[in-house]
Amino acid sequence: MSHTIGLFNSALGRNITFVRPPYFILTGFSDIPHMNYYYVFLFFVYIVSVLGNTAVMAVILLDRNLRTPKYVAVFNLAWTDLLGSTVQVPKVLDIFLFNHHIISYNDCMTFLFFSYTCLSMQALNLVVLSYDRLVAITFPLHYHMKVTHRFMFSLIGFFWVLTMVAFLIAVGLLTRLSICKSVIINNYFCDYGQIFWLACNDNTPSYVISWVLTILILWFPLTFILFSYSCIGCTLLKVASVQERVKAFKTCSAHLSLVAIYFLPILITYTFTIYIPPNVRMISLSLTSVIPPMLNPVIYVLQTQEIKKSMKRLLKLKCLCAN
């Protein structure tokens, strides 16, 4: 690795105005002891994520009672979680478990695009689900007029297009940078921020879009979700009895659990980043990207009566067919 870096640095001494390195070197978890146990844990988490999210999607597809606008959003969340886990975990295991720390420039850009797109869609899916709960509780008589299949497909499609276009622009801006300071990325994946700080030419557009994307994929979803549940809380306090409040809270509990699992680790990690050792911060961020996709299907199966009943019906039907 040191020989490779030396060759790169020697090339920088020549009269080169634009440098696009053929590869990057991900150091990631290299300096953390006993990481093999963590890789086994990541592999276990990935398998559970694949099985759980596949099961949720299969149940929604097979049971016609679940083909409602709400479960269109749940299906999309499961699909996004499955895709995000598949983008992240196998690549991370390949890089660090098998010492393939060198990743080509094009592969790094692709890895970056899909990683950030899936993470962003997980957050925006929570916005869709919070809107569904907001309308269902605050405007129950108009729910079926406001939240239709067409509306849900359009909203989810808009979010997919928005995130893909946003990160295509972000990656496009990275390709215009001259990466001449180093090829080392001190992270477990191709981190957008670390890459543009390696540039020697003007990285202001990349810096600006990084802030725009942070607002778009972190602060906008969190603000909307908090606003929606504030409205739900006010509505329940004004018009609902204690029994109705408890029932409404149960319908929201699964979604609130998903919100807490996704946002709390990110907020804690970034709020107290100066107090957290770099290795602990890196592991915390990696867990943030893999734990929610594993827990989301478990939470929906355990806390959502419709899915529990649907799974029981499908299992009973399967047993009857087997007999």
Side-chain angles (χ1 to χ4, degrees), residues 133-153:
R133 292 300 83 202
L134 175 65
V135 177
I137 294 174
T138 56
F139 305 102
L141 299 178
H142 302 283
Y143 176 77
H144 294 292
M145 291 186 292
K146 290 179 177 292
V147 184
T148 62
H149 282 89
R150 181 177 180 180
F151 172 82
M152 193 61 73
F153 279 116

Side-chain angles (χ1 to χ4, degrees), residues 69-70 73 123-140 142-156 159 220-221 223-229 231-232 252 255-256 259 300:
K70 173 186 174 181
L124 293 174
N125 264 304
L126 297 177
V127 171
V128 176
L129 289 168
S130 68
Y131 177 79
D132 175 85
R133 292 300 83 202
L134 175 65
V135 177
I137 294 174
T138 56
F139 305 102
H142 302 283
Y143 176 77
H144 294 292
M145 291 186 292
K146 290 179 177 292
V147 184
T148 62
H149 282 89
R150 181 177 180 180
F151 172 82
M152 193 61 73
F153 279 116
S154 299
L155 183 60
I156 291 172
F159 281 151
F220 162 71
T223 302
F224 181 85
I225 291 167
L226 292 176
F227 170 77
S228 66
Y229 275 99
C231 294
I232 289 172
C252 298
H255 180 251
L256 285 171
V259 171
Y300 261 103

Side-chain angles (χ1 to χ4, degrees), residues 63-295:
D63 192 339
R64 293 186 177 182
N65 295 322
L66 296 181
R67 295 179 188 177
T68 62
K70 173 186 174 181
Y71 286 101
V72 171
V74 174
F75 182 93
N76 188 60
L77 179 65
W79 165 246
T80 306
D81 287 342
L82 178 62
L83 184 61
S85 297
T86 303
V87 167
Q88 283 267 340
V89 179
K91 188 64 177 177
V92 169
L93 293 177
D94 176 61
I95 291 170
F96 298 105
L97 190 59
F98 301 103
N99 293 318
H100 296 158
H101 294 272
I102 296 177
I103 181 171
S104 72
Y105 181 90
N106 290 334
D107 285 348
C108 189
M109 295 297 109
T110 304
F111 189 21
L112 182 153
F113 171 77
F114 283 105
S115 295
Y116 279 100
T117 298
C118 292
L119 287 172
S120 302
M121 277 305 302
Q122 288 173 11
L124 293 174
N125 264 304
L126 297 177
V127 171
V128 176
L129 289 168
S130 68
Y131 177 79
D132 175 85
R133 292 300 83 202
L134 175 65
V135 177
I137 294 174
T138 56
F139 305 102
L141 299 178
H142 302 283
Y143 176 77
H144 294 292
M145 291 186 292
K146 290 179 177 292
V147 184
T148 62
H149 282 89
R150 181 177 180 180
F151 172 82
M152 193 61 73
F153 279 116
S154 299
L155 183 60
I156 291 172
F158 170 75
F159 281 151
W160 271 109
V161 173
L162 177 67
T163 53
M164 292 180 72
V165 170
F167 285 106
L168 280 174
I169 294 172
V171 171
L173 290 174
L174 284 184
T175 61
R176 299 174 65 86
L177 296 177
S178 181
I179 309 297
C180 57
K181 292 181 180 178
S182 176
V183 292
I184 297 177
I185 300 174
N186 295 313
N187 213 325
Y188 66 94
F189 73 112
C190 293
D191 184 20
Y192 185 82
Q194 289 199 33
I195 292 176
F196 74 69
W197 285 120
L198 297 176
C200 291
N201 57 340
D202 184 18
N203 61 11
T204 302
S206 294
Y207 178 76
V208 170
I209 200 170
S210 69
W211 275 103
V212 172
L213 292 174
T214 300
I215 294 170
L216 176 68
I217 67 178
L218 181 61
W219 294 113
F220 162 71
L222 184 58
T223 302
F224 181 85
I225 291 167
L226 292 176
F227 170 77
S228 66
Y229 275 99
S230 297
C231 294
I232 289 172
C234 292
T235 301
L236 293 178
L237 288 174
K238 290 179 181 178
V239 300
S241 65
V242 175
Q243 292 80 5
E244 289 173 329
R245 291 175 196 169
V246 172
K247 183 179 179 181
F249 179 76
K250 286 182 178 179
T251 65
C252 298
S253 60
H255 180 251
L256 285 171
S257 301
L258 304 186
V259 171
I261 290 169
Y262 183 85
F263 284 104
L264 281 180
I266 294 176
L267 293 175
I268 292 172
T269 301
Y270 281 103
T271 301
F272 301 101
T273 186
I274 60 174
Y275 304 106
I276 302 175
N279 288 341
V280 175
R281 180 175 178 273
M282 198 178 305
I283 291 177
S284 175
L285 289 175
S286 68
L287 290 174
T288 301
S289 63
V290 298
I291 293 297
M294 179 188 72
L295 293 181

Side-chain angles (χ1 to χ4, degrees), residues 307-322:
I307 291 184
K308 289 171 68 174
K309 291 178 181 177
S310 177
M311 292 189 75
K312 289 178 182 178
R313 283 196 300 269
L314 292 173
L315 290 173
K316 185 177 181 181
L317 182 62
K318 183 178 180 181
C319 292
L320 291 173
C321 292

